[in-house]
Amino acid sequence: MDKILSRLSTATGALAVGAFTVNSCIYNVDGGERAVLFDTLRGGILPDVRDEGTHFIIPMVQRPVIIDVRTKPREIPSVTGTKDLQMVNIKLRVLWRPVIEKLPQLYRELGTDFDERVLPSIGNEVLKAVVAQYNAEELLSKRAEVSNRIKTELIKRGTHFHLTLDDVAITHLTFGREFTKAIEQKQVAYQEAERQQYVVERAEQERIANVIRAEGEAEAATIITKAMEKTGNAIIEVRRIDAAKEIAGKLAKGRNITYLPGGTGGEGGSGGPGLLLGIDK
């Protein structure tokens, strides 16, 4: 019985040692990751990059370094000056990932936190260089152009550090309080100038209308004068009859108007003029 227990404990120990040895000789690289190997006998980081899956190493001699190679966002804030010496607060959103083939060199030079070491420095450098070439108003009116120039320069700088920038965009752009106040005052002045221009144009149109009206009245007076020279007072009588018809039409529609015919003055005498009475109720 003692021999069986001794053999069983020996086998268990051998299995444990074997499992530990096997576990020490393999490592896994998950999806979206890559690995580089540090080899103490061969003098540091090996030039090969291990893909996803399970790989073998030499225990105590080699050590895997797992690096995430998925695209990640990064926000880069900066406060810089424009061409007309206005301070602007600007933020960039950068989608970045490391160049897989350059992971050994990238780890050897910058370590695993290479994004913390590289992106803020090159982001601020590019922002200050590009923004300094534009006035404050141009940053607003030419925002797409500014964003494209920043993207081009940042991608170019990222290649020196083995980083691929998939997208660069301006997400935040604000100016100092003095510039904001000046913009508001300029907008108010522009609106006031527009209003004054409208007033001037309206007065001009009214002047033209008055001139046309006066010319029409003068032409009408000329026509009437020529007609009177040809017909005497007949045209005045026609106008008087027209006015009388208009007045009679208006009085006929009134509810409180009463007509009293004039009385007779005797045989053969003519009656007096009738009366129009306004009766108030």
Side-chain angles (χ1 to χ4, degrees):
M1 186 68 180
D2 293 337
K3 291 181 179 180
I4 295 175
L5 293 176
S6 176
R7 291 177 181 177
L8 184 61
S9 62
T10 302
T12 303
L15 288 176
V17 172
F20 176 78
T21 302
V22 171
N23 187 57
S24 301
C25 293
I26 61 175
Y27 66 96
N28 293 322
V29 179
D30 296 332
E33 297 178 341
R34 296 293 187 274
V36 295
L37 288 182
F38 180 82
D39 194 315
T40 56
L41 297 180
R42 298 169 63 180
I45 299 296
L46 300 181
D48 301 330
V49 178
R50 302 303 193 269
D51 295 329
E52 301 168 356
T54 301
H55 303 275
F56 292 94
I57 58 172
I58 302 175
M60 309 299 294
V61 176
Q62 295 178 333
R63 175 173 58 87
V65 179
I66 307 299
I67 300 175
D68 190 351
V69 295
R70 288 169 290 193
T71 300
K72 294 187 286 291
R74 174 81 187 211
E75 189 176 75
I76 305 175
S78 179
V79 179
T80 183
T82 62
K83 187 177 181 180
D84 53 351
L85 303 181
Q86 297 291 337
M87 299 305 297
V88 57
N89 187 357
I90 188 171
K91 289 183 180 180
L92 287 181
R93 179 188 56 81
V94 179
L95 297 179
W96 68 276
R97 54 187 172 85
V99 178
I100 295 178
E101 295 78 8
K102 299 294 184 179
L103 284 179
Q105 184 178 352
L106 189 60
Y107 176 74
R108 186 183 302 111
E109 296 175 354
L110 299 172
T112 56
D113 59 342
F114 43 82
D115 60 318
E116 294 288 344
R117 297 172 180 265
V118 174
L119 290 178
S121 60
I122 66 175
N124 277 277
E125 176 187 350
V126 171
L127 280 174
K128 292 180 184 298
V130 174
V131 171
Q133 301 177 25
Y134 293 89
N135 295 329
E137 294 183 0
E138 292 177 338
L139 291 180
L140 298 175
S141 60
K142 301 180 180 179
R143 181 165 178 162
E145 177 184 336
V146 175
S147 180
N148 289 332
R149 288 196 59 181
I150 292 175
K151 180 179 180 179
T152 302
E153 293 297 328
L154 203 55
I155 290 175
K156 187 185 301 183
R157 293 285 293 135
T159 56
H160 294 290
F161 298 94
H162 315 303
L163 298 178
T164 299
L165 305 183
D166 294 325
D167 185 59
V168 178
I170 298 175
T171 59
H172 183 73
L173 182 64
T174 57
F175 297 93
R177 186 175 302 174
E178 294 78 7
F179 181 77
T180 304
K181 185 177 180 180
I183 289 293
E184 293 176 354
Q185 293 176 350
K186 183 178 180 179
Q187 185 66 23
V188 171
Y190 176 77
Q191 293 176 353
E192 181 65 21
E194 288 288 330
R195 191 183 70 84
Q196 293 295 336
Q197 183 178 359
Y198 169 75
V199 171
V200 171
E201 291 179 354
R202 180 180 177 183
E204 180 66 17
Q205 293 298 326
E206 291 179 352
R207 184 189 67 80
I208 295 174
N210 291 333
V211 170
I212 295 174
R213 190 181 301 111
E215 291 177 351
E217 292 175 355
E219 185 176 355
T222 302
I223 293 173
I224 292 173
T225 302
K226 292 181 179 180
M228 289 180 65
E229 292 176 353
K230 293 180 179 181
T231 62
N233 295 331
I235 190 171
I236 297 178
E237 293 297 329
V238 172
R239 291 291 181 90
R240 184 179 299 170
I241 292 171
D242 292 338
K245 288 181 179 180
E246 184 179 356
I247 294 172
K250 291 182 179 179
L251 293 176
K253 296 178 182 179
R255 299 179 59 186
N256 299 330
I257 303 299
T258 302
Y259 175 72
L260 297 179
T264 58
E267 296 182 358
S270 61
L275 297 178
L276 291 175
L277 299 179
I279 302 174
D280 296 331
K281 293 184 178 180

